[in-house]
Structure formats: structure tokens, C-alpha cells
Amino acid sequence: GSEMCIRDSDTTELPKELIYGGSYKLTRLDDLSVSVKTNMMSGDIDSVYYTWHRDLHSFDMYLTYKDAHRSNNDQWKIKFVGKDF
């Protein structure tokens, strides 16, 4: 299945950024997600994050590509998270 989530980064005043996106399950072990970070003042997209998640049995692997729209600050990041058994 796919899911949609919207997170508000600051609840006391108008949020300065809005993050929205969704994920799609590719296989039993893989899913892809996209998150878009938007500047609420200008309405511009700050960056788009593409993440591939793979279940490695005792670890989760997250490979994320950040497309920084307006700055040339594109980057790859890989993260391994151990599972509690």
C-alpha cells in the first residue's frame, strides 16, 4: 500500500516550511518514498528527497538522494538502522 503524510514543523505560528510526500511499496522488502520540502513564505520548493528503503533482516537500509532545487547542494546519504529483536 501507499501512505501520505504531512508534517507541520512549527505548531505555534504559521509554519515556515511544509513537508509532504508519500511512499510506495515495491516488493516485500523494498519501498520508495518521496518528500518535498516547500518554503511557505515564497511558495518555492526547497528540496526533494528520494529514499529507497530495503529490509536487510536485522538492519534497515535507507539510501536517500537530496535534490536541492535552488542551491547546488545535491547529496547522497546512506543510513543503516539496526532492528530490536
Side-chain angles (χ1 to χ4, degrees):
S2 58
E3 63 184 46
M4 191 76 179
C5 63
I6 294 179
R7 287 192 298 267
D8 184 350
S9 55
D10 189 351
T11 52
T12 54
E13 55 185 80
L14 279 174
K16 293 171 186 60
E17 60 186 31
L18 175 69
I19 300 172
Y20 60 93
S23 66
Y24 184 76
K25 194 147 185 72
L26 298 173
T27 68
R28 192 171 59 81
L29 299 174
D30 300 279
D31 51 82
L32 276 178
S33 63
V34 179
S35 298
V36 180
K37 190 165 106 179
T38 305
N39 182 321
M40 292 296 281
M41 306 304 276
S42 64
D44 294 329
I45 292 176
D46 282 345
S47 41
V48 181
Y49 299 87
Y50 302 93
T51 301
W52 170 46
H53 163 248
R54 173 132 181 122
D55 185 333
L56 300 172
H57 187 61
S58 55
F59 289 93
D60 282 309
M61 182 199 74
Y62 297 89
L63 179 64
T64 300
Y65 175 69
K66 175 187 173 189
D67 180 359
H69 266 241
R70 302 191 332 151
S71 60
N72 285 331
N73 193 21
D74 295 356
Q75 55 190 342
W76 285 95
K77 187 160 47 173
I78 190 163
K79 182 170 74 171
F80 291 94
V81 179
K83 293 184 184 176
D84 298 329
F85 284 104

